mmCIF file of all heavy atoms in Angstrom:
data_model
loop_
_atom_site.group_PDB
_atom_site.id
_atom_site.type_symbol
_atom_site.label_atom_id
_atom_site.label_comp_id
_atom_site.label_asym_id
_atom_site.label_seq_id
_atom_site.Cartn_x
_atom_site.Cartn_y
_atom_site.Cartn_z
ATOM 1 N N GLY A 447 -3.117 -9.743 -12.719
ATOM 2 C CA GLY A 447 -4.380 -9.058 -12.516
ATOM 3 C C GLY A 447 -4.272 -7.573 -12.264
ATOM 4 O O GLY A 447 -5.284 -6.912 -12.008
ATOM 5 N N GLU A 448 -3.073 -7.006 -12.331
ATOM 6 C CA GLU A 448 -2.869 -5.579 -12.054
ATOM 7 C C GLU A 448 -2.343 -4.877 -13.298
ATOM 8 O O GLU A 448 -1.745 -5.495 -14.179
ATOM 9 C CB GLU A 448 -1.864 -5.392 -10.909
ATOM 10 C CG GLU A 448 -2.269 -6.039 -9.598
ATOM 11 C CD GLU A 448 -3.412 -5.324 -8.935
ATOM 12 O OE1 GLU A 448 -3.626 -4.125 -9.245
ATOM 13 O OE2 GLU A 448 -4.117 -5.940 -8.114
ATOM 14 N N ASP A 449 -2.568 -3.554 -13.356
ATOM 15 C CA ASP A 449 -1.952 -2.766 -14.415
ATOM 16 C C ASP A 449 -0.441 -2.747 -14.229
ATOM 17 O O ASP A 449 0.056 -2.834 -13.102
ATOM 18 C CB ASP A 449 -2.468 -1.325 -14.373
ATOM 19 C CG ASP A 449 -3.869 -1.205 -14.949
ATOM 20 O OD1 ASP A 449 -4.232 -2.053 -15.779
ATOM 21 O OD2 ASP A 449 -4.585 -0.266 -14.552
ATOM 22 N N PRO A 450 0.314 -2.619 -15.312
ATOM 23 C CA PRO A 450 1.769 -2.513 -15.172
ATOM 24 C C PRO A 450 2.150 -1.284 -14.360
ATOM 25 O O PRO A 450 1.464 -0.256 -14.380
ATOM 26 C CB PRO A 450 2.260 -2.375 -16.622
ATOM 27 C CG PRO A 450 1.141 -2.859 -17.458
ATOM 28 C CD PRO A 450 -0.106 -2.568 -16.713
ATOM 29 N N ARG A 451 3.237 -1.415 -13.635
ATOM 30 C CA ARG A 451 3.814 -0.277 -12.923
ATOM 31 C C ARG A 451 5.171 0.009 -13.554
ATOM 32 O O ARG A 451 5.973 -0.905 -13.743
ATOM 33 C CB ARG A 451 3.948 -0.580 -11.433
ATOM 34 C CG ARG A 451 2.605 -0.582 -10.711
ATOM 35 C CD ARG A 451 2.701 -1.116 -9.300
ATOM 36 N NE ARG A 451 2.828 -2.571 -9.294
ATOM 37 C CZ ARG A 451 3.916 -3.212 -8.942
ATOM 38 N NH1 ARG A 451 4.987 -2.541 -8.582
ATOM 39 N NH2 ARG A 451 3.958 -4.525 -8.962
ATOM 40 N N VAL A 452 5.415 1.266 -13.881
ATOM 41 C CA VAL A 452 6.585 1.651 -14.667
ATOM 42 C C VAL A 452 7.494 2.538 -13.829
ATOM 43 O O VAL A 452 7.038 3.459 -13.148
ATOM 44 C CB VAL A 452 6.154 2.387 -15.952
ATOM 45 C CG1 VAL A 452 7.361 2.755 -16.792
ATOM 46 C CG2 VAL A 452 5.197 1.518 -16.750
ATOM 47 N N SER A 453 8.784 2.272 -13.890
ATOM 48 C CA SER A 453 9.753 3.019 -13.087
ATOM 49 C C SER A 453 9.988 4.417 -13.634
ATOM 50 O O SER A 453 9.609 4.741 -14.766
ATOM 51 C CB SER A 453 11.089 2.270 -13.062
ATOM 52 O OG SER A 453 11.736 2.373 -14.336
ATOM 53 N N VAL A 454 10.629 5.231 -12.831
ATOM 54 C CA VAL A 454 11.250 6.449 -13.335
ATOM 55 C C VAL A 454 12.342 6.027 -14.314
ATOM 56 O O VAL A 454 13.107 5.088 -14.049
ATOM 57 C CB VAL A 454 11.863 7.257 -12.171
ATOM 58 C CG1 VAL A 454 12.710 8.411 -12.684
ATOM 59 C CG2 VAL A 454 10.764 7.741 -11.236
ATOM 60 N N ALA A 455 12.415 6.683 -15.449
ATOM 61 C CA ALA A 455 13.404 6.312 -16.461
ATOM 62 C C ALA A 455 14.811 6.675 -16.000
ATOM 63 O O ALA A 455 15.023 7.673 -15.306
ATOM 64 C CB ALA A 455 13.103 7.004 -17.778
ATOM 65 N N ASP A 456 15.756 5.852 -16.398
ATOM 66 C CA ASP A 456 17.168 6.180 -16.220
ATOM 67 C C ASP A 456 17.794 6.303 -17.602
ATOM 68 O O ASP A 456 17.207 5.865 -18.608
ATOM 69 C CB ASP A 456 17.864 5.112 -15.394
ATOM 70 C CG ASP A 456 19.211 5.577 -14.857
ATOM 71 O OD1 ASP A 456 19.413 6.805 -14.740
ATOM 72 O OD2 ASP A 456 20.073 4.720 -14.559
ATOM 73 N N ALA A 457 18.974 6.905 -17.672
ATOM 74 C CA ALA A 457 19.605 7.139 -18.975
ATOM 75 C C ALA A 457 21.114 7.169 -18.822
ATOM 76 O O ALA A 457 21.645 7.575 -17.781
ATOM 77 C CB ALA A 457 19.109 8.452 -19.584
ATOM 78 N N VAL A 458 21.800 6.754 -19.882
ATOM 79 C CA VAL A 458 23.255 6.763 -19.916
ATOM 80 C C VAL A 458 23.685 7.080 -21.343
ATOM 81 O O VAL A 458 22.946 6.833 -22.299
ATOM 82 C CB VAL A 458 23.814 5.402 -19.444
ATOM 83 C CG1 VAL A 458 23.472 4.306 -20.435
ATOM 84 C CG2 VAL A 458 25.314 5.452 -19.190
#
Side-chain angles (χ1 to χ4, degrees):
E448 301 289 338
D449 283 334
R451 287 170 284 111
V452 182
S453 72
V454 171
D456 196 23
V458 67

